[in-house]
Every structure is written in C-alpha cells, then in structure tokens.
Amino acid sequence: TLTVTDDDGSVDTFQRIIVITDLGPTASFVVSEEEPREGDLVMFTSTSSSYPDEIVNWTWNFGDGGMGYGEEVHYTFESDGEYTVTLTVTDEDGSQDLHQISILVSDVPPQSRWISEPSRPMEGEQVRFEDLSTSLHPLVNWTWDFGDGNTSHVRNPEHAYWTEGEYLVTLTVRDEDGSANYSSSLLVVLDTLVADFTMDRQTLPEGEKVILED
C-alpha cells in the first residue's frame, strides 16, 4: 500500500498484491565410490544448499531397503546389483528437494582354498581333504574333482588313490548368491613299495659272512 498526501492535506492510497514464492533447498551429494563391491563401506556426503532457510533434515534411501540420516552417512551394500540412492533434504520452512544417483555394486565371489592330509599319501591310503574357503555369503555347494575320475560334494571328504602318480585336485565352491570359484593343486601319490631287509647278525668279525634277507 502506498499512501500519498499533498500540501493541501488531500490523501490517496494505491495497493498492489506482491506474491513471494518460496525459495526451497537444492539437494545434491557425492559418493566415495560409485562402483563399489558388495561388503565395501561407502561414504555419502551431502553437498546440498539452501538460502535463506537452513536445511534441517537429510534423509537417505539406499534403494535396498536401507535408510540413513544426516549430512554424511556410511553404508554397506550386502548384495551385488544396481541401486538408486536418493537424498531428500528439508529446510526449516518445510520445503524439500531430492537428488538421485545410481550405484553399481559388483559381486565378490567366494575364495576357494583347501588342504589335504597327508600331503603326499601312499597308494591306497585315505586322504582327508579339508575345505578352507571363505565367502561373504554362506556357501551352499562344494564340488571336489580328485583328478582320477572320482568326485564328491561332501565339504570335507576322504578319498584313496590306488595308483601312484600326480593328480590335479580341484575344489569348486558356490555361495547362495550364485557366485562360484575354484582352486586346483597337484597331489603326489607315492608307490607302496618299500625297501627293507634283515640280517642274522649286526656285529661280526671281519671276514665272516652275514646272511641278508629281503
């Protein structure tokens, strides 16, 4: 409203409506790694801005059911896949804005590892194989190839070789996420032939005969 008065004392007013629109916040954020592996710790940092009202709330939705709050959050994706991460900011006037980034989480396959006891068995001797594999997800399958045409799906099997030689033993493991990995190593099987003999005497004068028997 403008009110004017002249020197004669006359008064007049004029009015005009001014519409003030809200200036809401602008949401944005950066991520420490846009292509992490499952199980990695990822840091999300808000770079949002707001004027003249201050931001009072930061709400994160990580696209896998997980949520977070605050200007900076850390999060771990437990499974591989593509996730849309959303940050919603709210200023003290109640205005909101959101920003989204796609995160591609790569798979981490299990690590196959095993040992055998004894490490150099004899023909016909039972060999104990022990699985030492590691995995982010529970293992659901073990496939042993003993290198002699025999296989097993027992986690820690026993197996005997009936012919000396070298055998390539392979363990393939698979986790519940469907990822697989394998490890192979040569196992040397020794011949059961052992040299031995007996003597009728171990102490005798020089020149005398001793009876040796295989």
Side-chain angles (χ1 to χ4, degrees):
T1 300
L2 169 65
T3 300
V4 294
T5 304
D6 63 16
D7 56 3
D8 193 34
S10 298
V11 178
D12 192 29
T13 60
F14 179 76
Q15 292 182 329
R16 176 168 291 176
I17 295 175
I18 303 296
V19 179
I20 307 299
T21 58
D22 179 56
L23 186 61
T26 300
S28 62
F29 66 91
V30 294
V31 59
S32 61
E33 188 173 358
E34 293 189 13
E35 294 187 3
R37 302 189 311 165
E38 54 184 359
D40 287 351
L41 187 64
V42 185
M43 182 173 66
F44 296 87
T45 304
S46 170
T47 55
S48 306
S49 61
S50 180
Y51 180 81
D53 304 310
E54 294 184 359
I55 296 175
V56 294
N57 182 272
W58 299 260
T59 299
W60 303 83
N61 185 326
F62 296 105
D64 62 351
M67 302 290 292
Y69 304 92
E71 287 189 73
E72 183 176 279
V73 295
H74 296 80
Y75 193 74
T76 299
F77 294 93
E78 300 297 337
S79 299
D80 61 296
E82 187 172 1
Y83 301 92
T84 300
V85 179
T86 304
L87 169 63
T88 302
V89 294
T90 306
D91 66 18
E92 57 189 354
D93 197 34
S95 299
Q96 292 184 328
D97 190 35
L98 63 84
H99 182 64
Q100 295 180 323
I101 290 180
S102 291
I103 303 295
L104 184 62
V105 181
S106 59
D107 179 57
V108 177
Q111 299 300 307
S112 175
R113 180 172 173 263
W114 56 272
I115 59 173
S116 62
E117 179 62 34
S119 58
R120 294 173 66 87
M122 308 291 289
E123 293 175 324
E125 184 177 8
Q126 286 289 335
V127 184
R128 295 178 297 278
F129 295 91
E130 182 179 357
D131 167 48
L132 299 178
S133 303
T134 57
S135 177
L136 287 177
H137 305 286
L139 295 174
V140 296
N141 182 270
W142 296 262
T143 300
W144 294 86
D145 184 341
F146 298 115
D148 62 352
N150 292 289
T151 60
S152 174
H153 293 287
V154 177
R155 181 175 184 179
N156 299 307
E158 293 188 0
H159 182 66
Y161 295 87
W162 299 101
T163 304
E164 65 174 312
E166 293 184 345
Y167 297 88
L168 183 64
V169 181
T170 301
L171 168 62
T172 302
V173 293
R174 186 179 301 276
D175 63 22
E176 66 178 8
D177 199 34
S179 300
N181 205 343
Y182 71 92
S183 59
S184 300
S185 183
L186 280 177
L187 182 69
V188 178
V189 178
L190 305 176
D191 192 345
T192 55
L193 178 63
V194 178
D196 194 11
F197 65 91
T198 61
M199 299 186 300
D200 64 337
R201 291 180 294 172
Q202 293 187 4
T203 304
L204 67 157
E206 58 183 353
E208 290 193 11
K209 293 183 178 180
V210 60
I211 300 175
L212 305 176
E213 183 175 353
D214 179 29

